[in-house]
Every structure is written in C-alpha cells, then in structure tokens.
Amino acid sequence: MRRTVLKSLAAALAGALLSLPMLARAQAQPVDVEFYYPVAVGGPITKIIDTMVADFHKENPDINIKPVYAGSYQDSIAKVLTTIKGGSKPPQLAVLLSTDMYTLIDEDAIVPIDTLAGDAGKAWLGGFYDAFMQNSRTGGHVWGVPFQRSTIVMYYNKNLFKAAGLDPERPPATWQELVDTATKLTKKDASGNVTQWGLEIPSGGSFAYWLFQALTTPNGAILMNDAGNQVMLDKPAVVEAAQFWRDLSAKHGVMPPGTIDWGTTPKDFLEKKAAIVWTTTGNLTNIRANADFPFGVAMMPKKVRGGSPTGGGNFYVFKSGTPAQQKAALKFAQWATSPERAADWSIATGYVAVTPAAWETARMKKYAQEVPAATVARDQLDVSVAEFSTHENQRVTKLLNDALQAVLTGSKQPQQALSDAQREADRILRPYR
C-alpha cells in the first residue's frame, strides 16, 4: 500500500515537473495589441512610431504593440467603424481624432480610460493640459488620452515681410492687421496674375470646420455645447466669421478664390507662393526641415479675443480587447505620454507636448530655447477651445464643411448656408437631447 502511494506521488511530481516548462512558456507568452495609427501629416511619422514601439518592447518584453498604419484620420475611423459594424474585431488600441469620441461612445466601442486606470491613474490623467482634455471627457468619464495634439498657428515668411517693407518680427495680431499685411504681401505680374498670395487658409476636404474655428473663436463664438448634442452655427458672430473668410478672397483679394486644399498650404508656403499660411503646429517639423528661408510662427489674429481650437489625436482603448490587452494598451498610452516620451514626440513631430511636466524636461527646455516657435502653440492653449465635435460627428461636421465650401465658392451667402446647416444639424441631433 505504502509503495503504491509513493509511486503515485512520484508520478504526480514527475508530471508537475514536466509541466513547468510549458507553464513558464505560457506565462512568458507576450500580449499582442493591434494598434491603429493614422498617417495624416508629413514627415517620417511611421519610422518614429516604429522606434517608439521597439523602445517600449525593450522595457516591456511581455507586450507586443503591432502598429497598423491606417491612412488618414478619416480612413482610420472608417476602418474602425467597418470592423464594428461588420462583426470583425476592431483594434485594441488606436490613435483617432479627439473629435471621434462621441462616435466611439455611441458605437459602444471604447472603455473609459479613467475606469481602466483606476485610482492609481488619477494623477496621470490630471497631468494633461486642460485645453486638450476638453475633447477627451464627457458624461463624467475620461474616454481619450491626449497624444498628438495641436492648435492652429500662423506661419509667415520673414524674408517676404522684409521685401514688402514689413517688420519681420511683428506678425499681424488682429483681423484688420491681417488684411493690411496680406494686401502688402500679395504680388501680381504685368498681366495682373497673382504670383504671390498674401495669405492661405486651407478650406478643402474635411478640415474646413477646424480652420473656421480659428475665425469663430477670436470672434467670441462657440460652435457646440459640452454634451455634443447642440450646435450654434447661425449665430451673428459665426456668420460674421464666415463672411470675413469669404471677403479675404472676394473683397480683399489677398487669398486664392474658392477652396484651398489642406496639403497645398504648407507646400505653397515652402515654395514661396504664399507669404502667410494657417495650419497645424504638427507641420512645424516639416516646415523647419524644408524651408530655405527664415520663418516665424504666431497665434491666431484677434477680433474680440484670442484663441484657436485644439486639434489632433487621442489614444483610445477598445472594448474588444481582453482584460490583458486593455491593460497592455493602457500601459503603452501611459508610457507614450510620460514627460520624457511626450517631449521626444513633440521634438520629432512638431505636435504640442501634452503635459506641463514634459516642458520641464531638460530636452524640452533646450528645444524651446533653440526653437522658440514651438512654444507658440503651447502658450495659445490658455485661450484655446475644444475642437468641434458632436454626436453623429461625421454627419454634422460634413454639414458645416459643405456650408463653408458653399460660402467660399460663392454659391450661397453666409447666413443662408449656415442657417441651412443649423436646421439639418438640429434634426440629426434631436434624438440625443
């Protein structure tokens, strides 16, 4: 009997010992996280992301972050929504526009970051600039983590300012100064054809609404409420901003007629076809690398106040992930937004470092001294507002974009175009009130 028991114990022990390598291998199996990242701006962004992912894996060998470069922001959200509605598996982590928050909530696609991070994450979530958090929280929860965030800034060619008899250290600070300055910077040949535009504000494609906020905000107008279920598109200050945008071309002749493509703007600036352009601070590194002339960066010109909308992308963690994948995705988001990493990302890309702590790092302090233009967007955060975002965001934003294109092409007067957009937006958003 005793011999039988000893044999059984020995067999059990041998089995346990044999299973140890298998158990160790199972425990060592890394967690895979599919990560959608949009390639939406110029520069070697994919190489930067690949390097970040490799560095993270060195520090966290139990996590494999697998980037999927999903095209533009619009392509990325379309692919995410297709996976959700088509029944296939969405990514476990993505960088999407901060304005996609309501859409992702309505699709029940994402988890609240504050719930996932718990009490231990409160200090981390409290460390971001509040201007960026305005597009990251709603309904008492934080849903997105600021990552590649921006404001709109004004780039201007200092050599062209000098040639026009303007002070290269004094960019236009008001709407009237913008018109006066752009008038002096607009040049024509003997036949009357414009060879150099004083100003370009991009308006084509999907970003017209964002640039419009760089006019409505300085005019004291807010376009939507905090709940994302009401818009204010036909208020007098909004209509006045649309009229001013139209007048820059139709009345003052300082900007190309019709709509201007988003990608054309920095290209025209680098080729000296436009003396002043408005675009994202995310283009700073691209312009620094390619401009063969000294340039300045300035805040949005004022009408009744200063200000710009914030912009750019947030990290989102998806419900489709397992608890282990969600935890790993959160860890990567926390790592990527730590002060040193946020500073590295800002220096490499031109986006605004998303926490005050990042600006206190040695690298960022040195960079700010060497490239003072990088501090303009950061300082503008004090007067920045949330980017236009609502429930049914793609539909409502398209209404506003279409209205603005109608204004800029002259097919509708500003009041009519914006009243039409308001009426249709009210219909779309009514179920969310």
Side-chain angles (χ1 to χ4, degrees), residues 156-165 168 185 272 292-295:
Y156 65 98
N157 185 318
K158 291 187 176 184
N159 283 352
L160 298 183
F161 266 54
K162 285 182 183 178
L185 290 164
K272 307 178 188 67
D292 60 359
F293 53 84
F295 67 91

Side-chain angles (χ1 to χ4, degrees), residues 2 13 53 79 97 117 131 140 153 213 286 298 301 307 337 339 352 372 428:
R2 185 180 175 189
L13 180 61
V53 166
K79 288 177 181 178
L97 284 172
V153 292
Q213 281 189 277
N286 175 40
T337 56
V352 184
I428 292 172

Side-chain angles (χ1 to χ4, degrees), residues 128-204:
F128 294 96
Y129 282 107
D130 186 69
F132 290 143
M133 295 304 288
Q134 290 176 27
N135 276 114
S136 304
R137 62 189 178 221
T138 190
H141 284 293
V142 176
W143 299 88
V145 180
F147 175 53
Q148 54 181 46
R149 299 301 301 275
S150 59
T151 69
I152 300 166
V153 292
M154 179 166 59
Y155 297 83
Y156 65 98
N157 185 318
K158 291 187 176 184
N159 283 352
L160 298 183
F161 266 54
K162 285 182 183 178
L166 296 164
D167 184 347
E169 303 306 323
R170 192 179 180 279
T174 67
W175 281 11
Q176 187 58 56
E177 287 181 7
L178 181 67
V179 172
D180 294 343
T181 301
T183 299
K184 292 177 181 177
L185 290 164
T186 301
K187 292 185 176 180
K188 297 180 180 180
D189 60 20
S191 302
N193 299 312
V194 174
T195 57
Q196 175 183 298
W197 290 104
L199 173 66
E200 285 188 5
I201 302 174
S203 53

Side-chain angles (χ1 to χ4, degrees), residues 96-105 110 129-138 141-147 149-150 209-210 213 224-226 228 308-316 384-390 393:
L96 300 168
L97 284 172
S98 63
T99 54
D100 288 325
M101 177 180 67
Y102 291 110
T103 298
L104 294 167
I105 292 170
I110 54 176
Y129 282 107
D130 186 69
F132 290 143
M133 295 304 288
Q134 290 176 27
N135 276 114
S136 304
R137 62 189 178 221
T138 190
H141 284 293
V142 176
W143 299 88
V145 180
F147 175 53
R149 299 301 301 275
S150 59
Y209 76 91
W210 192 49
Q213 281 189 277
M224 76 287 178
N225 67 354
D226 291 341
S308 161
T310 59
N314 281 352
F315 280 117
Y316 296 100
S384 291
V385 301
E387 184 176 356
F388 185 75
S389 178
T390 68
N393 193 57

Side-chain angles (χ1 to χ4, degrees), residues 4 10 40 48 63 70 97 105 126 136 184 216 225 238 262-263 287 303 310 312 366 379 409:
T4 303
I48 299 170
I63 300 173
L97 284 172
I105 292 170
S136 304
K184 292 177 181 177
T216 56
N225 67 354
V238 181
W262 170 261
I287 290 174
K303 181 62 164 58
T310 59
K366 182 181 178 185
D379 295 344
T409 57

Side-chain angles (χ1 to χ4, degrees), residues 362-412:
R363 282 203 68 200
M364 204 67 197
K365 285 182 176 179
K366 182 181 178 185
Y367 177 65
Q369 287 181 336
E370 295 172 350
V371 189
T375 66
V376 173
R378 177 202 65 187
D379 295 344
Q380 192 169 232
L381 290 176
D382 290 340
V383 289
S384 291
V385 301
E387 184 176 356
F388 185 75
S389 178
T390 68
H391 293 278
E392 300 281 354
N393 193 57
Q394 283 71 33
R395 294 174 67 193
V396 176
T397 299
K398 186 176 187 304
L399 285 175
L400 180 52
N401 282 339
D402 289 348
L404 293 170
Q405 292 190 5
V407 170
L408 294 170
T409 57
S411 62
K412 284 186 181 181

